[in-house]
Amino acid sequence: MTTLAPYAAETLSRAEVDALPGPTVLEFGTNWCGICQAATPAIAQALAAHAAHAAGAPLRHLRVEDGPGRPLGRSFGIKLWPTLVLLQDGREVARVVRPQQAAAIGDALASLAP
């Protein structure tokens, strides 16, 4: 099973995120969030399946620690954790809130250009 890195403090501004080339998944949550911890296996499974079948640019996955007053999460209107925001060349193309099944995440990942 694939393990994911811990959620990290924001290092990118919204302008930098908007300028990211290719496919990107921003995953907003916190390391102490039980719902985030419970969703991690499904997220890892969906990302691994996508990587195994994807062609083109590699998928960038950034786990962003969120919370009150965190500008990046607020700029995306994040209210529940975990929330996955899928971007293609810095533009949001899909969003999955509190995923429970890898299939729902996989459906959203399919919206990213190859």
Side-chain angles (χ1 to χ4, degrees):
M1 177 180 201
T2 304
T3 58
L4 301 177
Y7 290 98
E10 291 180 13
T11 58
L12 297 173
S13 69
R14 178 62 190 258
E16 291 169 318
V17 169
D18 290 345
L20 290 172
T24 302
V25 175
L26 293 178
E27 179 187 341
F28 291 93
T30 66
N31 294 312
W32 53 262
C33 168
I35 298 170
C36 299
Q37 293 168 7
T40 296
I43 294 168
Q45 180 183 358
L47 291 171
H50 180 78
H53 297 100
L59 179 65
R60 180 184 300 107
H61 177 219
L62 303 173
R63 297 186 91 203
V64 181
E65 187 175 51
D66 193 36
R70 300 280 176 102
L72 189 57
R74 302 301 64 77
S75 74
F76 279 100
I78 303 301
K79 298 198 183 293
L80 297 171
W81 302 325
T83 294
L84 286 79
V85 178
L86 289 77
L87 308 169
Q88 183 66 47
D89 297 321
R91 187 178 56 80
E92 183 173 342
V93 296
R95 182 179 290 226
V96 183
V97 179
R98 289 196 170 169
Q100 297 178 358
Q101 304 291 328
I105 302 162
D107 290 346
L109 289 169
S111 68
L112 295 171

